[in-house]
């Protein structure tokens, strides 16, 4: 990968280990589900068991992965359910503008609906042809390749459609609300007016 293809401030590491907050959760397929709720077209929301999620259409994406800690992993091959396919199966209400991605243990990250629906965004189950390793988010993680990696939530359990923006876990703790690596949107002090809701 040529250096000029890297976002500013990024480098390609010789090796890397998984980066995550908190413990790696244990997967219990008989108890696992994925919920879509909030500003949904159907007020009851949507829900898939692990078996049901396996019936959704699959796609493959190859994309660079940019971590806010400054490393980039080039051309990662992911497989999973595209966000567009998920939204087709679980339509948002017309007034939905943002999405909150919820993981195990209450971890969360917010993205704009336009970012969520961008080409290449998917709910990944496989990486480089293999099931995700537990430390990489098994059984499902978000992949939002055009944003910094903390938006690619591991151990995804729920998607909440929002009618206004709300900061997620790291966004409340000083990370930039938008997270565009090409603009080096790393920290909240770099935000311009309108980039996100006020920090409390």
């Amino acid at each position: 990968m040529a250096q000029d293809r890297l976002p500013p401030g990024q480098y390609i590491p010789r090796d890397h280990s998984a980066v995550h907050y908190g413990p790696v959760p244990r997967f219990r397929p008989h108890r696992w589900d994925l919920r879509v709720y909030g500003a949904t077209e159907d007020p009851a929301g949507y829900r898939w068991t692990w078996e049901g999620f396996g019936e959704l259409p699959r796609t493959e994406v190859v994309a660079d992965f940019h971590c806010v800690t400054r490393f980039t992993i080039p051309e990662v091959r992911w497989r999973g359910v595209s966000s567009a396919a998920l939204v087709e199966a679980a339509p948002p209400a017309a007034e939905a503008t943002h999405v909150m991605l919820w993981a195990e243990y209450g971890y969360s990250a917010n993205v704009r609906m336009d970012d969520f629906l961008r080409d290449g965004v998917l709910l990944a189950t496989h990486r480089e042809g293999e099931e995700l390793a537990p430390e990489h988010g098994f059984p499902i993680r978000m992949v939002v390749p055009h944003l910094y990696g903390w938006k690619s939530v591991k151990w995804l359990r729920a998607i909440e459609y929002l009618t206004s923006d709300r900061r997620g876990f790291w966004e409340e703790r000083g990370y930039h609300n938008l997270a565009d690596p090409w603009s080096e949107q790393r920290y909240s002090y770099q935000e311009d007016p309108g980039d996100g809701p006020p920090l409390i």
Side-chain angles (χ1 to χ4, degrees), residues 67-133:
C67 183
V68 72
T69 60
R70 298 191 180 274
F71 70 80
T72 287
I73 305 171
E75 299 182 342
V76 183
R77 182 162 54 99
W78 305 97
R79 182 170 175 79
V81 176
S82 72
S83 58
L86 189 282
V87 163
E88 184 176 348
E95 59 269 25
T97 59
H98 292 76
V99 172
M100 187 69 78
L101 307 168
W102 290 99
E104 298 280 2
Y105 307 129
Y107 175 85
S108 61
N110 60 320
V111 296
R112 296 172 292 192
M113 185 66 77
D114 287 348
D115 284 317
F116 186 67
L117 290 175
R118 192 154 151 178
D119 287 347
V121 176
L122 77 165
L123 290 71
T125 57
H126 290 70
R127 181 176 184 238
E128 304 299 350
E130 303 288 338
E131 269 190 348
L132 292 173

Side-chain angles (χ1 to χ4, degrees), residues 137-188:
F138 178 80
I140 295 176
R141 71 171 299 165
M142 282 304 306
V143 173
V144 188
H146 63 285
L147 302 181
Y148 281 125
W150 85 81
K151 299 286 191 179
S152 293
V153 170
K154 298 178 182 179
W155 310 301
L156 186 72
R157 291 300 303 275
I159 294 170
E160 181 185 3
Y161 296 150
L162 305 173
T163 58
S164 61
D165 198 6
R166 193 168 79 233
R167 292 178 185 266
F169 180 88
W170 286 117
E171 295 81 13
E172 290 179 335
R173 290 162 174 80
Y175 276 21
H176 199 289
N177 196 55
L178 301 181
D180 176 12
W182 295 96
S183 300
E184 281 203 273
Q185 293 176 335
R186 300 179 191 274
Y187 305 111
S188 59

Side-chain angles (χ1 to χ4, degrees), residues 8-20:
Q10 298 294 110
Y11 72 96
I12 299 173
R14 292 185 178 178
D15 51 41
H16 70 281
S17 56
V19 178
H20 58 86

